[in-house]
Amino acid sequence: MDTLMTRFYKHYPHLKHNKAVDSFISKQDNRTLIEQFLHEPNAEREYELNEAFKSHYFDIRFTAYVSSSLYFHSVNFDKKHRTYSERHPLTLDKKTDQGDGQAFIDLVPDQSDSLSPFKNFSTLAECLEDDDLLAGYMALTDRQKRILDLAYVQEWSDTEIARSMGVSQQAISKSHKKALNALRTLLQKKE
């Protein structure tokens, strides 16, 4: 192949280091046409070689045109989409009136990223490390313990706890507060 290219560039020295010609020569069919032309130069073979190169060059230019066209259309589409989004924001994308630059979506908690420290426990007794607090928890009634377990380990609301226990939400809220007050009183005495 080296001798073929040497002979080719001897006939056409101005084509040396031309990227289009290099890519044309890289294809086996085109190398065969060049070899035939150099072996037996005549008008017919030169015409075939020229037509093959024109076709190859058209493909290069067409591909470049389509690529740049796609690029500019995507840029314009992005500009139009961004302009429309700025003019017609979704409700959650609108800025809050608090003047801090936050959008409403920034205020929505992420449910997938649960920060529950008690995820691997079933009761508060399993996760309490403070001995005084554990003693106070153990001194509560079974009902109060169950309410605290459901509220803090399972992260249920008072309404959900009430529904599961078959009582009113107010009764659960009252028992919940009473249990917390009992723990607070116990801890204050220890201090």
Side-chain angles (χ1 to χ4, degrees):
M1 182 175 151
D2 292 329
T3 58
L4 173 70
M5 293 300 98
T6 306
R7 286 177 31 215
F8 178 76
Y9 287 128
K10 191 175 187 180
H11 277 80
Y12 304 102
H14 60 285
L15 297 178
K16 203 170 193 177
H17 305 296
N18 183 315
K19 290 183 180 183
V21 172
D22 290 343
S23 69
F24 176 75
I25 292 171
S26 70
K27 295 183 179 176
Q28 181 60 41
D29 293 344
N30 298 332
R31 280 198 306 266
T32 304
L33 286 174
I34 293 170
E35 193 174 305
Q36 289 172 349
F37 172 73
L38 292 175
H39 214 33
E40 194 179 318
N42 61 36
E44 183 183 332
R45 292 186 191 251
E46 186 175 15
Y47 177 78
E48 287 177 10
L49 186 59
N50 283 335
E51 289 302 310
F53 184 76
K54 284 178 187 177
S55 174
H56 177 75
Y57 192 64
F58 173 80
D59 290 346
I60 291 172
R61 290 184 61 206
F62 183 72
T63 303
Y65 167 75
V66 169
S67 295
S68 66
S69 180
L70 284 173
Y71 171 76
F72 287 114
H73 283 298
S74 67
V75 168
N76 287 336
F77 175 80
D78 186 51
K79 284 180 185 176
K80 287 178 184 177
H81 180 70
R82 224 176 312 128
T83 301
Y84 181 83
S85 295
E86 288 170 0
R87 289 182 183 160
H88 308 286
L90 297 173
T91 302
L92 292 177
D93 290 334
K94 288 184 181 175
K95 301 290 183 197
T96 60
D97 294 334
Q98 298 171 357
D100 56 3
Q102 277 190 324
F104 284 108
I105 196 158
D106 297 331
L107 304 174
V108 177
D110 185 3
Q111 296 297 328
S112 65
D113 187 25
S114 178
L115 299 176
S116 173
F118 309 124
K119 213 172 185 121
N120 299 324
F121 301 102
S122 58
T123 66
L124 273 176
E126 295 172 0
C127 52
L128 292 176
E129 294 177 1
D130 184 279
D131 291 335
D132 295 332
L133 189 56
L134 180 59
Y137 171 82
M138 296 308 286
L140 297 173
T141 66
D142 288 341
R143 183 170 191 251
Q144 288 173 330
K145 286 184 208 173
R146 175 130 172 85
I147 291 170
L148 293 181
D149 291 342
L150 291 173
Y152 297 106
V153 178
Q154 303 301 322
E155 297 183 334
W156 287 14
S157 67
D158 286 351
T159 306
E160 292 170 321
I161 297 170
R163 198 173 304 129
S164 75
M165 296 178 86
V167 296
S168 71
Q169 183 267 333
Q170 290 83 1
I172 294 298
S173 180
K174 186 176 178 182
S175 293
H176 189 164
K177 286 179 185 174
K178 190 173 181 181
L180 291 178
N181 285 335
L183 290 175
R184 184 181 306 115
T185 303
L186 179 78
L187 290 174
Q188 286 173 344
K189 285 181 184 176
K190 295 284 183 178
E191 291 177 358

